[in-house]
Amino acid sequence: MDGQTVAASYGCHALRPSEATAFDDPLAPTVFERVLEALGAQPVPWQMRLECCGHFLRDRNDAMAEALGLTKLRNAAGAGAGTLVTVCTYCQTQFETYHDAPELPRAETVASFALRALGDRD
């Protein structure tokens, strides 16, 4: 990915409840950043990487869901990310709502990012 700047977004379900997922350190995870680095991307540090995207509020409180999603995307953009990558399909759906906003990072899943990265290799 030639140093493409990427914000790794863990979402609510990958790390919690940590006793059940046993996936990574729930307070200081690194697994997605390591995967992204292995693919040639440059993960950016950003404040909201462990925060909820707000998708769970869709159809209950759309204004709050939108505020959470946009705040997270703006935070990633402010950290210098060109792409926000998540493992959670709910997060993906939430972030894709704003795909027409050119000032915000493009959002995709870790799987689609990885497939795209591997497809770009000769």
Side-chain angles (χ1 to χ4, degrees), residues 31-79:
V31 67
F32 292 154
E33 287 88 353
R34 291 192 324 258
V35 168
L36 295 169
E37 286 174 345
L39 294 170
Q42 178 184 348
V44 298
W46 65 300
Q47 284 182 316
M48 298 189 73
R49 71 190 192 111
L50 302 180
E51 302 297 323
C52 179
C53 71
H55 186 272
F56 75 98
L57 288 169
R58 285 272 166 219
D59 298 325
R60 291 172 201 82
N61 186 334
D62 287 340
M64 185 170 283
E66 182 174 325
L68 288 169
L70 282 172
T71 298
K72 193 160 179 168
L73 283 167
R74 288 181 180 130
N75 187 262

Side-chain angles (χ1 to χ4, degrees), residues 96-116:
E96 282 182 346
T97 303
Y98 314 105
H99 72 276
D100 290 332
E103 73 279 8
L104 298 176
R106 183 169 62 122
E108 59 185 305
T109 63
V110 171
S112 62
F113 185 84
L115 288 172
R116 191 167 54 84

